[in-house]
Amino acid sequence: MRRRAVVAGAAAVVAAGATGGWWVRDRPAPAAATSQAATGTVAVVRTDLSTTTHVTGALGFRDTYTVFAQGPGGTITALPRPGQVVSRGEPVYDLDGRPVRLLYGNHPAWRPFGAGMTRGADVRALKENLVALGHGRSLTVDDTFTAAATAAVRRWQQATGQPVTGRVELGAVTFQPGPVRVTELTAKLGATNRGEDPVLTGTSTAAAVTISVPAGRTYLVHAGDKVTVTMPDDTKADGTVAYLSPVAEAAPAMDGRPPQPMVTGLVTLDKPSTAGDLDRAPVQVNITGKSVSGVLAVPVTALVALAGGGYAVWLGAGAQRRLVAVTTGLFAETLVEVRGDLHEGDLVEVPVG
């Protein structure tokens, strides 16, 4: 029967028995060799192995946005509160008493929208938003600002209490990649804001975990690796390493020790809702790296280093005891994959105690 072994930390020497548990059979040391270390035997097992790297992390949100005022600017007359989530079509802030609304798009607006404007990807983004907001009746989503686009803008303006002009002036909307979770207000109520001034910063609403990996262990962590995150309430959440920075930065010195170079990375969660609202809360991240299935494995302590290089294990017990060379594969902390003249259920010698 195949068993799944995911090992972490130092564990006792074990072997698979007929009951599915782990056991160690001690072999008494010969009376004439009382100083010899006690040994026992364990069975070679066929199992699945994987390496696990443990790193610290912090809950947060993926992607950071800065919202700038555009156009002629004006006086800030309304602002959201930190932590508020602004969605498509909703006001982000007010200038001179006029709401500046959020539309979704990967690039900022750079000109007003209206009849006679040239084709562009910004026109397509505006049309996509008008359709998503329910005002795109008979509207073809393309790069051309048509009469149908003018009609759609007028419907949107009328529905939201704006002056109905059929034009969208520069600064009347802000394009961001998605919903904005407000983190910090840069502008102040009543302040005059020029067109290039930032108003606020925010993040996406997609929960993520920022990890810190010691620079000397980055070879153990790769984009695409599966992870398990232990949340502050001890619940578990699955995720994936999305990114690992190629640049190491020195972490602050602690307890008199010199600063250790660290590499930051990003983990996305399979179910972002499991993160709740615990922004910046510390978490433990267990990263599963390499894995193998259905291999023969023995405890690492069963390995004997050979004088000419390589490894062997003591196979059998008593008069049948013999040294068998093995080729090692994946090391998974307490177990190691082995290949050689041995079979599942064979007994190998290990130190006891």
Side-chain angles (χ1 to χ4, degrees):
M1 178 178 66
R2 179 174 296 183
R3 305 192 53 209
R4 176 70 177 168
V6 178
V7 290
V13 177
V14 291
T19 62
W22 292 101
W23 55 271
V24 175
R25 187 176 68 195
D26 294 333
R27 185 176 74 247
T34 54
S35 62
Q36 180 179 341
T39 61
T41 56
V42 301
V44 178
V45 296
R46 187 172 296 279
T47 187
D48 302 338
L49 298 178
S50 63
T51 58
T52 302
T53 303
H54 310 287
V55 299
T56 58
L59 285 174
F61 294 87
R62 187 171 185 174
D63 303 322
T64 301
Y65 312 138
T66 300
V67 177
F68 291 88
Q70 293 182 290
T75 300
I76 299 290
T77 52
L79 286 167
R81 67 184 184 278
Q84 180 178 337
V85 175
V86 183
S87 300
R88 190 197 318 257
E90 296 179 345
V92 183
Y93 61 97
D94 287 11
L95 276 179
D96 294 338
R98 297 187 303 273
V100 176
R101 299 178 184 277
L102 175 64
L103 298 182
Y104 295 170
N106 292 322
H107 302 285
W110 54 275
R111 56 179 176 170
F113 298 89
M117 69 184 299
T118 57
R119 297 166 58 93
D122 53 343
V123 177
R124 178 182 292 271
L126 176 65
K127 286 184 170 184
E128 289 173 344
N129 281 275
L130 291 171
V131 170
L133 291 168
H135 306 293
R137 185 169 64 252
S138 302
L139 184 62
T140 300
V141 177
D142 57 17
D143 296 347
T144 304
F145 197 93
T146 59
T150 298
V153 169
R154 292 176 66 87
R155 287 192 293 270
W156 170 60
Q157 290 173 331
Q158 186 172 20
T160 53
Q162 303 177 62
V164 181
T165 64
R167 287 176 55 84
V168 181
E169 301 298 337
L170 183 62
V173 297
T174 178
F175 283 92
Q176 301 297 332
V180 175
R181 177 183 171 276
V182 179
T183 54
E184 183 179 2
L185 301 176
T186 307
K188 305 293 183 183
L189 276 176
T192 300
N193 191 279
R194 298 168 297 178
E196 70 275 12
D197 290 342
V199 178
L200 58 88
T201 57
T203 68
S204 71
T205 56
V209 176
T210 301
I211 57 174
S212 296
V213 182
R217 299 181 67 194
T218 53
Y219 67 94
L220 296 173
V221 183
H222 312 86
D225 285 349
K226 297 299 181 181
V227 309
T228 301
V229 181
T230 303
M231 296 296 184
D233 61 358
D234 288 332
T235 59
K236 308 292 184 182
D238 295 328
T240 305
V241 177
Y243 170 78
L244 195 67
S245 173
V247 179
E249 299 180 358
M254 298 181 63
D255 301 327
R257 293 173 295 178
Q260 181 180 17
M262 304 291 286
V263 173
T264 59
L266 185 72
V267 168
T268 56
L269 300 177
D270 294 351
K271 296 180 179 179
S273 60
T274 57
D277 296 321
L278 297 175
D279 192 10
R280 301 181 185 178
V283 293
Q284 180 74 32
V285 181
N286 300 324
I287 304 172
T288 301
K290 296 180 179 179
S291 61
V292 290
S293 300
V295 298
L296 295 179
V298 298
V300 174
T301 53
L303 295 179
V304 177
L306 298 175
Y311 293 98
V313 295
W314 284 107
L315 187 65
Q320 304 299 318
R321 179 174 177 263
R322 60 191 176 92
L323 197 61
V324 175
V326 294
T327 301
T328 58
L330 182 67
F331 281 78
E333 297 193 19
T334 62
L335 294 179
V336 57
E337 173 190 1
V338 290
R339 295 181 294 274
D341 185 19
L342 67 172
H343 306 85
E344 182 179 4
D346 286 347
L347 299 180
V348 295
E349 183 178 279
V350 294
V352 175

